[in-house]
Amino acid sequence: MPSFLSLPVELRISIYSLYLLDLQHVSGNLQPRNTHFRLLHVCRQISYEAGRLANFRSYVSLIHEDQISAFNSITTVEAASRILHADVANDSRLVHASGHVRQNLSVPASELYLVLSKLVSLRRLRVFECHRSRPMKDFIVGARFTLQFEKAMFPSGSPPQLDSYELYLSPFKSPSRIFQVVSPNRVKNLRLSGECGLLLGTKLPSLTNLAICGVTGHHLDQHMEEYFAQSLLEEVRYRQGDKLGARFELRDHQLKSLVFGSASGLHKLVLLDCTRLSSSILTTCFRHLEQLQYLALSFVSVHELDSNFVAAFPTSLAVVKLGITNAWFSSPLLQEEHKLCESFEESIIMRDPPLRSVHADLRDEVIVASSRGTRWTKIAKERKFALKLGPWEEDEIF
């Protein structure tokens, strides 16, 4: 059996790259670990191939204060300059030595700001909750603390020019205000989560990809349209997230403002756990999205399915994922759901040329009982496209 090092170098580099990509996947807001660095100590050849050719040294994940402090003390300026992507746990605390909270006498509680000041080539920053911070005994007795999300990372006010800025924060934690220090001008990819808010007046002219996952509080609900008015969005992903407490729920006027404004050229649209959207607005929006190629819609109907939004799906689609749930289980909208399924079969299942992939998570009464599932499976096999019946929402990456 051939050994790993006997494989062609091009294949080994592909394996390294896939491993590094899989390592950086985030599940449940859990910060990835630096297990990729172990490969750099296997042998000189693998260290060179993984470190130099597969860019293992371009990514680092700093999870707790001991790790941050060690990285700050041993990493050279040259090594730090090669890092393009960083995952960090942000303590958010500023320490004020005097009894009065004065900005010029404050310093971050964590050494993270020293690390970030060395990452001069940083282009993607993902920020996670800090679960292991410095204990109180490490600070001067009588010190005062304030929470300043971005100033704790960039107290000097000179952050790198980020292309991607992603928050993986838990709901109902301390509010996090962004773009107080970080410049929004070059940000192309933005992910919002937790109780976050953008600095009022923020404009994102370069933004193309927007993800909103489990946002709590009312800040985004009140200002969403103005933040993205200048953005030309190509990809929008929304997941409602936590079902408890005050959360941001995407509503008709917000989706319409995106579709008829900054997101009119959308290629990918993912809307999961939507409870505040009406079928009529969905119909209006889909008719306007003539360039849409990927659609994933998990729609929770409360009391209406009056408009047949499936019939309005654009012909440009290559991938469709549809899920319909009725919140009023005691009075299901079976007639309306049957009509949507008929349109789904006519405009999606039977589309010529066929789509690349179709997923459907619909009520058994309208799929199994009517033999639609069996018929759709047979059609998919004949027309050679991928078909999945049943839950698919967890497959979407946020």
Side-chain angles (χ1 to χ4, degrees):
M1 184 175 179
S3 66
F4 178 74
L5 291 179
S6 68
L7 297 174
V9 63
E10 295 84 1
L11 183 56
R12 294 201 299 273
I13 293 172
S14 296
I15 293 173
Y16 296 138
S17 300
L18 289 173
Y19 173 74
L20 184 60
L21 184 64
D22 184 66
L23 173 74
Q24 297 177 63
H25 172 67
V26 179
S27 177
N29 281 0
L30 294 179
Q31 186 173 345
R33 298 184 178 275
N34 286 316
T35 53
H36 63 301
F37 285 138
R38 297 174 184 173
L39 279 177
L40 302 180
H41 300 282
V42 173
C43 67
R44 288 185 178 181
Q45 183 175 351
I46 289 180
S47 178
Y48 172 76
E49 292 174 352
R52 293 288 186 176
L53 304 182
N55 294 322
F56 268 37
R57 299 185 188 277
S58 68
Y59 167 73
V60 67
S61 180
L62 302 174
I63 299 176
H64 52 76
E65 190 61 29
D66 291 340
Q67 195 175 60
I68 292 170
S69 180
F71 184 88
N72 182 46
S73 62
I74 66 176
T75 304
T76 64
V77 174
E78 180 186 359
S81 67
R82 291 201 294 265
I83 294 176
L84 303 176
H85 312 299
D87 293 343
V88 302
N90 184 17
D91 188 308
S92 296
R93 291 181 300 171
L94 290 183
V95 185
H96 308 272
S98 66
H100 300 284
V101 177
R102 294 177 58 186
Q103 195 67 35
N104 59 341
L105 296 179
S106 63
V107 63
S110 169
E111 290 185 23
L112 177 61
Y113 77 102
L114 297 174
V115 173
L116 291 174
S117 68
K118 296 179 180 179
L119 306 186
V120 294
S121 302
L122 192 65
R123 290 295 173 263
R124 186 189 74 185
L125 178 63
R126 301 196 299 190
V127 187
F128 295 79
E129 296 284 355
C130 180
H131 299 290
R132 284 177 55 187
S133 56
R134 289 176 61 188
M136 293 297 295
K137 65 181 181 62
D138 289 355
F139 301 101
I140 299 173
V141 175
R144 299 292 184 265
F145 297 88
T146 59
L147 295 177
Q148 299 275 352
F149 184 77
E150 286 191 344
K151 289 186 180 298
M153 296 188 290
F154 307 106
S156 66
S158 301
Q161 293 292 318
L162 298 175
D163 296 327
S164 181
Y165 191 22
E166 303 175 43
L167 309 184
Y168 290 85
L169 306 177
S170 303
F172 315 119
K173 296 288 186 178
S174 300
S176 304
R177 293 291 176 260
I178 62 174
F179 297 122
Q180 291 183 316
V181 179
V182 173
S183 171
N185 294 332
R186 280 185 49 175
V187 174
K188 298 177 181 178
N189 180 56
L190 177 65
R191 184 188 192 273
L192 303 175
S193 64
E195 191 169 343
C196 64
L198 284 67
L199 182 68
L200 292 179
T202 296
K203 304 297 181 184
L204 295 138
S206 301
L207 188 68
T208 57
N209 296 339
L210 171 65
I212 300 171
C213 183
V215 169
T216 53
H218 301 289
H219 186 88
L220 193 61
D221 191 34
Q222 297 169 353
H223 304 285
M224 180 175 175
E225 290 103 324
E226 64 188 76
Y227 288 143
F228 309 114
Q230 294 184 358
S231 308
L232 298 178
L233 294 170
E234 298 176 0
E235 178 177 323
V236 172
R237 292 173 293 150
Y238 164 82
R239 184 194 291 272
Q240 181 173 282
D242 201 300
K243 302 296 190 297
L244 301 175
R247 60 198 184 277
F248 170 69
E249 298 178 85
L250 189 67
R251 300 171 186 267
D252 283 352
H253 68 280
Q254 292 159 339
L255 179 61
K256 191 174 180 180
S257 71
L258 287 175
V259 169
F260 285 85
S262 60
S264 58
L266 270 183
H267 296 159
K268 182 173 183 177
L269 177 61
V270 178
L271 302 173
L272 302 187
D273 304 325
C274 296
T275 60
R276 296 286 187 170
L277 297 179
S278 67
S279 59
S280 59
I281 287 297
L282 288 173
T283 300
T284 301
C285 291
F286 290 144
R287 285 175 178 164
H288 190 71
L289 296 175
E290 299 178 350
Q291 302 178 49
L292 194 64
Q293 300 174 11
Y294 187 109
L295 172 64
L297 172 64
S298 176
F299 180 66
V300 181
S301 64
V302 178
H303 54 75
E304 65 88 22
L305 280 174
D306 298 333
S307 182
N308 187 349
F309 56 85
V310 172
F313 284 175
T315 57
S316 56
L317 287 170
V319 176
V320 169
K321 298 182 179 182
L322 177 65
I324 300 177
T325 304
N326 182 251
W328 289 53
F329 298 104
S330 59
S331 55
L333 305 174
L334 289 179
Q335 183 176 352
E336 292 85 349
E337 290 182 32
H338 274 292
K339 185 180 293 186
L340 289 174
C341 281
E342 291 171 3
S343 293
F344 194 79
E345 180 171 333
E346 179 182 347
S347 60
I348 300 300
I349 299 296
M350 298 299 298
R351 178 169 295 183
D352 190 22
L355 282 74
R356 187 170 72 247
S357 179
V358 177
H359 293 199
D361 184 13
L362 305 168
R363 194 191 302 271
D364 287 345
E365 287 89 334
V366 297
I367 291 291
V368 178
S370 60
S371 300
R372 284 194 178 96
T374 303
R375 185 167 66 253
W376 290 1
T377 302
K378 181 179 178 181
I379 293 172
K381 185 175 181 180
E382 292 173 349
R383 297 169 64 81
K384 298 180 180 180
F385 65 86
L387 174 68
K388 178 180 179 180
L389 299 178
W392 50 263
E393 288 83 354
E394 294 305 316
D395 297 338
E396 289 299 315
I397 297 176
F398 273 82

